[in-house]
Amino acid sequence: PVYVVIGGAGGLGEVWSKEMIEHQHARIFWIGRRPLDAGIQAKLDALGKLGGSPCYLQADACDRESLQRAYGEIKGMVPDIHGVVHSALGTYDQSLVSMEEEQFLDTYSCKADICLRIAQVFQNEPLDFVLFFSSMAAFGKDGGMSAYSAGCAFEDAYALNLAKEWGCIAKTVNWGYWSVG
């Protein structure tokens, strides 16, 4: 199977990829905003020792053209994509009182805009599933997480809608606080 993991170089994307490589012998493509650096390369190398290093593509998944270019590169390497995972986190925010609108939108868009771009770019791909890693923050009122919580709530609702419209499984996993390491 072939899976695309947006935010794959982050902690959750890395852990999920490791499981898929070890147990499903999956071919993984990571899409991330950061340029390939020594930290990302170390993660790729470690997964390569398990039998399959992900291919890292730099793209801003919030931007349709950028994600479309990455999708085109992937399709140049594989005929089919079987699943897409949204594991991008973005930055945690702060209280609404102490943040500018631009910061709110930057944090929110990492969840919401990527959902929209996944639907636009992968809509004609015969996917088995789309998986959205969200957060229990969508259900709470934790201080200092307003934009992130709003983005997660959007992500949850969007997955439900996508499941109705597409012929594949679209699910969310709402994580509580966790840390890799």
Side-chain angles (χ1 to χ4, degrees), residues 91-100 103-104 107 142-148:
T91 57
Y92 284 109
D93 50 338
Q94 54 190 326
S95 170
L96 279 173
V97 171
S98 56
M99 86 165 59
E100 298 294 322
Q103 182 185 2
F104 179 92
T107 302
D142 293 340
M145 297 182 70
S146 55
Y148 179 70

Coordinates of all heavy atoms in Angstrom, one line a residue, residues 91-100 103-104 107 142-148:
T91 N 1.4 25.2 15.1 CA 1.9 25.7 16.4 C 0.7 25.8 17.4 O -0.5 26.1 16.9 CB 2.5 27.1 16.3 OG1 1.5 28.0 15.7 CG2 3.7 27.1 15.4
Y92 N 0.9 25.6 18.6 CA -0.1 25.9 19.6 C -0.2 27.4 19.7 O 0.8 28.1 19.5 CB 0.3 25.3 20.9 CG 0.0 23.8 21.0 CD1 1.1 22.9 21.0 CD2 -1.3 23.3 20.9 CE1 0.8 21.5 21.0 CE2 -1.5 21.9 20.9 CZ -0.5 21.1 21.0 OH -0.7 19.7 21.0
D93 N -1.3 27.8 20.1 CA -1.6 29.3 20.2 C -1.6 29.7 21.6 O -1.0 29.1 22.5 CB -2.8 29.7 19.4 CG -4.0 28.8 19.8 OD1 -3.9 27.7 20.3 OD2 -5.1 29.3 19.6
Q94 N -2.3 30.8 21.9 CA -2.4 31.4 23.2 C -3.8 31.9 23.4 O -4.6 31.8 22.5 CB -1.3 32.4 23.4 CG -1.4 33.5 22.3 CD -0.2 34.4 22.3 OE1 0.3 34.7 23.4 NE2 0.3 34.9 21.2
S95 N -4.0 32.5 24.4 CA -5.4 33.1 24.7 C -5.8 34.1 23.6 O -4.9 34.8 23.1 CB -5.3 33.8 26.1 OG -6.5 34.6 26.3
L96 N -7.0 34.1 23.3 CA -7.6 35.0 22.3 C -7.3 36.5 22.7 O -7.0 37.3 21.8 CB -9.1 34.9 22.2 CG -9.6 33.7 21.3 CD1 -11.1 33.6 21.4 CD2 -9.1 33.9 19.8
V97 N -7.2 36.8 23.9 CA -7.0 38.1 24.4 C -5.6 38.6 24.0 O -5.4 39.8 23.7 CB -7.2 38.2 25.9 CG1 -6.7 39.5 26.5 CG2 -8.6 37.9 26.3
S98 N -4.7 37.7 23.9 CA -3.3 38.1 23.7 C -2.7 37.7 22.3 O -1.5 37.8 22.1 CB -2.4 37.6 24.8 OG -2.5 36.2 24.9
M99 N -3.6 37.4 21.4 CA -3.1 37.1 20.1 C -3.7 37.9 19.0 O -4.9 38.4 19.1 CB -3.4 35.6 19.7 CG -4.7 35.2 19.2 SD -4.8 33.6 18.4 CE -4.4 32.6 19.8
E100 N -3.0 38.1 18.0 CA -3.5 38.9 16.8 C -4.2 37.9 15.9 O -4.0 36.7 15.9 CB -2.3 39.5 16.0 CG -1.5 40.5 16.8 CD -2.3 41.7 17.1 OE1 -3.0 42.2 16.3 OE2 -2.1 42.2 18.3
Q103 N -2.2 35.4 13.8 CA -1.7 34.2 14.5 C -2.8 33.2 14.7 O -2.6 32.0 14.5 CB -1.1 34.6 15.9 CG -0.6 33.4 16.6 CD -0.1 33.7 18.0 OE1 -0.2 34.8 18.5 NE2 0.4 32.7 18.7
F104 N -4.0 33.7 15.0 CA -5.1 32.8 15.1 C -5.3 32.0 13.8 O -5.5 30.8 13.7 CB -6.4 33.5 15.4 CG -7.6 32.6 15.6 CD1 -8.0 32.1 16.8 CD2 -8.4 32.3 14.4 CE1 -9.1 31.3 16.9 CE2 -9.5 31.5 14.5 CZ -9.9 31.0 15.7
T107 N -2.6 29.3 12.9 CA -2.8 28.1 13.7 C -4.0 27.3 13.2 O -3.9 26.1 13.0 CB -2.9 28.4 15.2 OG1 -1.7 29.2 15.6 CG2 -3.0 27.2 16.0
D142 N -9.8 24.3 27.0 CA -8.5 24.6 27.6 C -8.0 25.9 27.2 O -8.1 26.3 26.1 CB -7.5 23.5 27.1 CG -7.8 22.1 27.6 OD1 -8.5 22.0 28.6 OD2 -7.3 21.2 27.0
G143 N -7.5 26.7 28.2 CA -7.0 28.0 27.9 C -5.8 28.0 27.0 O -5.0 27.1 27.1
G144 N -5.7 29.0 26.2 CA -4.6 29.1 25.3 C -4.5 28.2 24.1 O -3.5 28.0 23.5
M145 N -5.7 27.6 23.8 CA -5.7 26.7 22.6 C -6.9 27.0 21.7 O -7.4 26.1 21.0 CB -5.8 25.2 23.1 CG -4.6 24.8 23.9 SD -4.6 23.1 24.4 CE -4.4 22.2 22.8
S146 N -7.3 28.2 21.7 CA -8.5 28.6 20.9 C -8.4 28.3 19.4 O -9.3 27.6 18.9 CB -8.9 30.0 21.1 OG -7.8 30.9 20.8
A147 N -7.4 28.7 18.8 CA -7.3 28.5 17.3 C -7.1 27.0 17.0 O -7.7 26.4 16.1 CB -6.1 29.3 16.8
Y148 N -6.2 26.3 17.8 CA -6.0 24.9 17.6 C -7.3 24.1 17.9 O -7.7 23.2 17.1 CB -4.9 24.4 18.6 CG -4.6 22.9 18.5 CD1 -4.0 22.4 17.3 CD2 -4.9 22.1 19.5 CE1 -3.7 21.1 17.3 CE2 -4.6 20.7 19.4 CZ -4.0 20.2 18.3 OH -3.8 18.9 18.2

